[in-house]
Structure formats: C-alpha cells, structure tokens
Amino acid sequence: MKRFAWILLLGAAPLCLNAQIEPGRGWTGVVVDQESGEPVPGATLQWVDTGQGVASDDSGLFHLAFRPNETNLLLRVRAIGYEPLEVIVSRENPGPLRLELVSEILRGEEVIITRSPVGSTVRTQPAEALNREQLQRRAAPSLGEMLQGSAGVTHRSFGSAPSRPVVRGMDGDRLLIIQNGERMGDLSSTAVDHAVAMEPLVMDRVEIVRGPASLLYGSSAIGGVVQLFSRDLPTEWDPGWSGTAALHGASVNRMGSGMVRMQQGSERWALTGRFSYRNGGDLQTPEGRLPDTFIESRNAAVGAGWRRGDVENGLAVDQIRMIYGLPESVNDRNQSIRIEMERNHLQGRSVWKPDRWVEQMEFRLHYSDYEHLEVEENRTGTTTHEVVGIRFDQQSLNGSLLLRHRPTGLFEGAFGVSVQHHAIQVGGVDALTPDGTGGAVAGYLYEELELATDWTLTGGARIEGRWTRPLANDRFPTVAGGDTRVEPILSGALGLEWTPGTAWSIGAQLARAYRTPTLEELYSDAPHAAAGSYDRGNPDLGNETSLGGDLHATYRSSTFRTELSLFLNRLNGYVDFSPSGQVHPPSGLPIYEYRSKEAILRGFEWQLHLERPAGWQGSLILDGVWGNERSEGGEPLSALPPARLQLEWLLDRDTYWVGPRLQIGAAQTRVAPNEEPTDGYWLLGWQSGWRIGPGGTLSLRIDNLLDHAWRDHLSRVEQRNAPMPGRSVNVMFRWEW
C-alpha cells in the first residue's frame, strides 16, 4: 500500500504543469463525409509546409494550435477511402471549421507516431497501423494471433493465451511491445509460456514498426516495436456520455468474451471506465482436443483526463488477472501446468503546448506491479498435489520527457530523456534465476531535414547507460559473476526518403541498434516445466549489437498500391536460445542453452493491394526471412519462420464486406542443429461483416475452413507434434455511441 500510494504521487507529478498557463487558442472543427454528413474518425490533418499534423477523434473532431507569426496556412486533410483535401485556414477565422471529404478509392498516407516523434509521414522504414475495424476483423484471444497476418509478422505458438508476435524472425527480448508510449512491465518477452498482459478487446489501435528502433525506445527494440493504444487515458472527447460495447465468440475453444466502456466528458474534463471478461476452454484440433489450453481473464480500468489552457493531463489505473493452461504435458494426463498472472498498472501523461521554440512537451510515467505463478499439478489416483514451480514478482517504473521543437531553418525534430527501473524477485521450487534489479537512463535527439521538395533526411542518436545487478535468493545463494554490469551504449540511425511525385515513395535507413542480455539469458539454471525445457544461461554473454539496413519502395494509384521492403541485419553477439541435444536426467526435460554467435539475418516483404470499382478489393502478401551464423559452416539460426504467401479477395461496400482468403506456408527445412523441420501447409478462410448504423459493426470470420491438420514451425507444443487449431468460427460485435 505504501508503494502504491507513492506511485500515485509520482503519477500525479506531471499535473504541476497546470500552473501559470494561459488559456490557448487555435482552430477547432469536424471532418465529415460530404455525401452523408457522417463524421470521419482518424482523418489526418497536416500542415503542408512542415508535415506536422493531428488526427480527428472518434466523432471527427480535431483541434489545431495557432502557430506564431503565421496568418494563412495550407492544411491537407486525408482519410482512408477519401480524396485528399487542401484548404487555407486563417487566424482571422478560428472556426469551428467543417471539412468535407469526397469518397475516393485512393488510400492516403498514415501518421504513425511510433515511427516519428514529430508526427510526420516521412518513411525511412516500413510500418503499419491497424484501426478498430481492422482489429475487429482479426479478433483473437491474444496479440500474436491478431497480428500474424501482417507483412513480416508471424507469432510464436504455445497455446492460445501466450501467443506473441514475431517480427522478421525476431522474438522475445528483441521485439519491444509498449502500451501508450511506455514499456508494459510484464514478462512476455522472457519465455514462450508468458502472455502479453493486455486484453485484445480494449485495443483501439496498433502500430507495428518493422526493423531496428533502438534510437527512440532503447534496448529490446532491435527487431522492431509494436505499440498498443487504449482509451484509458482520455486525450480527445465530446461533452456528454459516450461508450463502447464489444462481444467476441469463437467455436474452436468455445470461448466468449465481452467488454464495456463508458465515458462522461465536459469542456475541460472526462472520466472513463471499462471492464472486460474472457473465458475459453481447450483448443480443438483436427486430431482432437489439445489439453491445457484454456484461458480466463478479467480486466478493468478507470481513467481521467482534463485540460487547462495549453496543458492536457491524464491519469489511469488498470488491472488484469489471467489464468491459462499450458499444453506441456500433452501425453501425460496425470500432470498439468497453468499460469496465474496479475498486473496492476498506473499511467500518467501531461502535454504542454507552449507558444515558444519548444512547441510541445510531453511527460509520461508508467508503473507496473506484476505477479506470475507457474503452478504444477500432479495427480495420483484421486489425490491431487499442487506446487508452485516458479514465482515471479516484478515492479517496474518507466518515465520519459519528449520535447518537440518548431522548424528551425531546414530542421524539424525532437529530443528527450527517459528513465527505466525494475526489480524482480524469483521464487518457487524451481526458481529459474537469481533475483535482480536493473534500469537505464538515456537521452536522445531526432531531426528531420528537408533537403529539397522531394528529398527528406532523418537522423538521430541515443546515448544510454544501462545496468543489471543479480541478487541472491534461496535457490541461488551465491551468484556466479554477481558484480553489477554497467553498459554505456550509443545507438544511431540515418534515413533518407525520396518522393518523386505523389505516387512514389522510396525510403532507406541504416541503424545501429543494441540489446543487453537479460537476467534469464545470463543466469538461468533450472527446470522450466511451463516452457518444456531445462534452461541454462551464460554469465559471460556480452551485448548484442546490430547494424541493420532497410530499403523500401511504395507506389500508389487510384486502383492499386504496392510496397516492397528489403532488409539485412548483421548481428554481433547474437544470443541464440536453442536445444543442445541433451536431456536433463532428473527432470527429463530437453536442455536449452543461451549461446553467443555472430549472425546475419536477411529477408523481404512484398505487398500488393488492388481496389477496383464497385468495392472489389484484393491483396497479396509475400514475406520471408533467412538467418545463419557468420562462420565457416554457416549453420542456420533456430526458430525462424518459413516463407509465406497470403491472398485475400473482398467485396467491400458501404454496409458490408465479404470474401475468401488463403494462407500458404512453405516447408521449413533450413533448421539449426537439433531442431526439427516442419512441412508446408495451406489454410483457407472466410470473412464477412456488416456495418450497422453509425456505430455498429458485426463480423464473421472462419479460420481453417477445411479443418486442415498443420504444424507451425514456431510452435513449442510437444516439439511440434501437436497440430495447430482446427476450424474456428469467430463472431465479433462492436457498438459505439
């Protein structure tokens, strides 16, 4: 209680920005469909001269601050499915403005804030954003299952609940998952049996950045960033009541879930609250039930936002409790393993928009208290015995201050500082590692330079001091190599975008990224029954560094859009977690070891999206990644996904959409020593949906329509001997008012 009271005070600290701030001025208005008059949510509004912009909220409303010494400015408005609109706005006419968009097939560019802290559309590395309707079409119990259809994104499979995204073959601590701008404080990156601590139904937007992003986010972003957005912290709101209700049902595990959110707002403040519940049984496969794959979760949150002059503030608290099974003992029905997980999370945010050279200051503070039990249940006749194999308790605090400055000459950019700290206590009969603490302090600079009308250069640097300190516990009374590791690290990135006309966009980036080894990689030495392995660390591991290059080209017309991305990562000190070929005699588990290698990863993603008259749409996604050691033998790296081809054809009208989709996976025969290959597969699916009135959407999706038996190369279920889920009918309903 003392700790929670202390962090409440920290979360409220940014509210001091309210003092001495005069009321701000600017343009307000609404973006609507010209024909129907309905609001257009998520429209992008950008100043043509700087590229800086904002997005309209759920009701099409927006607010743009005045810029100093400017009277008439050219504003460009874009939204998916509409023609771009350019209007001149004047300080003499502050609004409210009504901006009417004309329907069009051409898809506009997106502002992806995870990629650029200045809110521009400059693209030097590939990225993707999924809105609420797109997330609804992909509805699933876990983040990994929802995102695995995106270009370059697969998922690790260990039952449904702990499924986590894999980007360009990089999993675990190489892929950073953040919530509303900060680290989540869970343990999903440390082992295949750990789930992402967020309910998919509450996500309003997801952004995926493929490729190194350590410049902005530090260690663990060597492979990319996935950012999850929720409305627990109100940032835009309408006066009066609003809300959301969502339901999701799936036949493959007889799962049902629901979420309700309510919000009350006035001119200056808003209060919001939500609750969700999910319950599902064991997964069904074409070969029968996959035991111990059930899931049950509860998630609740309350939040508040308020404004005063040029300052916006927010504070929210949320809690998730989850229990799920792990299919580790598929062939032994006298043993089962489940995870009991709870995360209590506090987040605070303050944004000040002064009329000065620093045009925006954003302060974020997140605190998480995370508990995780791995419970082993053994049955002998009618007697059941339970034991906590491993227990994790982790407290983490993350804070950052971002300052965005006005265009100065040809430069526009941002700079900031961030602080991280975490402490973990490990217990149970098979405590996997020592206890430990760690953290980082960092400063970074990001700048965009307009070299010419169609050339933009981006660059930046980050300097960070990171430390890790192991601490003795009952199972590790003496810690080998127990001195604190202090790592001063420098990362940087340089990118270039060329836009020859409105149709083409060609970008390239060269980045030095890094990752420091985790406590598990350094000191693990115990059976990890929940993951089905005996984990053995290596305290001599050094930092993992990557010199990565990205090249991508995009072409857009009124009838199609295509994008090709090529990437190459040269990694020094690459930490590979792979089977040793040995078995630990007392536990009977295969021994997995953390080893350092010199490695190289290369691959591509190609997307083609067709948009024909009368609502016909088609898409093709082809991706692949290959990795091997940089040694004489050039052995392949372990746990890399095979190449994939995905096809989709839709008839998407104003009130409904319908069409089939096909996913083809190649056989994976390039495997590491002691790793088993997998056969290729093909899966047929179906999706349809109806847009009901101004706020309702009902969708129907059928996965694995022909109930085909297939294996996923990233599955850890009984060494991939158990098939993946069979036919599943998913029904999702969402209503917003």
Side-chain angles (χ1 to χ4, degrees), residues 218-219 420 437-443 462-470 481 483-491 512 514-519 521-523 538-545:
S219 183
Q420 305 164 22
T437 63
V441 177
R462 179 187 182 97
I463 185 168
E464 180 167 336
R466 180 169 289 272
W467 68 93
T468 302
R469 183 186 181 191
D483 294 336
T484 300
R485 297 169 60 108
V486 179
E487 311 284 355
I489 303 167
L490 178 67
S491 62
R512 182 186 188 272
Y514 68 93
R515 189 181 71 86
T516 55
T518 66
L519 203 66
E521 293 170 336
L522 293 169
Y523 301 111
N538 181 356
D540 296 326
L541 293 175
N543 286 345
E544 185 175 299
T545 60

Side-chain angles (χ1 to χ4, degrees), residues 474-665:
D474 291 342
R475 199 170 184 280
F476 293 82
T478 60
V479 180
D483 294 336
T484 300
R485 297 169 60 108
V486 179
E487 311 284 355
I489 303 167
L490 178 67
S491 62
L494 189 66
L496 184 66
E497 185 192 39
W498 179 36
T499 53
T502 59
W504 281 97
S505 173
I506 301 172
Q509 176 178 270
L510 182 67
R512 182 186 188 272
Y514 68 93
R515 189 181 71 86
T516 55
T518 66
L519 203 66
E520 291 78 16
E521 293 170 336
L522 293 169
Y523 301 111
S524 291
D525 190 9
H528 194 179
S533 59
Y534 186 97
D535 298 354
R536 183 171 290 165
N538 181 356
D540 296 326
L541 293 175
N543 286 345
E544 185 175 299
T545 60
S546 162
L547 185 62
D550 267 280
L551 177 64
H552 71 93
T554 303
Y555 178 80
R556 293 182 176 89
S557 74
S558 61
T559 57
F560 78 95
R561 176 174 60 92
T562 184
E563 178 176 335
L564 175 65
S565 302
L566 307 174
F567 64 89
L568 185 146
N569 273 341
R570 185 181 174 90
L571 299 115
N572 295 324
Y574 179 84
V575 179
D576 193 18
F577 184 58
S578 57
S580 66
Q582 301 174 337
V583 174
H584 181 245
S587 66
L589 295 171
I591 297 176
Y592 276 67
E593 295 180 338
Y594 292 99
R595 303 169 182 168
S596 180
K597 303 177 179 179
E598 307 304 295
I600 190 166
L601 281 166
R602 57 178 71 84
F604 75 97
E605 298 115 14
W606 178 47
Q607 304 179 64
L608 174 64
H609 301 276
L610 302 175
E611 300 194 30
R612 310 300 298 175
W616 288 103
Q617 299 179 8
S619 68
L620 179 151
I621 298 176
L622 180 63
D623 56 30
V625 58
W626 296 267
N628 56 271
E629 298 182 38
R630 300 198 325 264
S631 61
E632 184 176 346
E635 296 285 358
L637 301 179
S638 62
L640 290 181
R644 298 178 309 167
L645 172 65
Q646 300 177 83
L647 296 168
E648 183 178 282
W649 189 251
L650 279 179
L651 175 61
D652 191 344
R653 298 287 180 85
D654 293 337
T655 57
Y656 69 91
W657 70 86
V658 61
R661 54 192 177 88
L662 175 68
Q663 179 175 312
I664 301 174

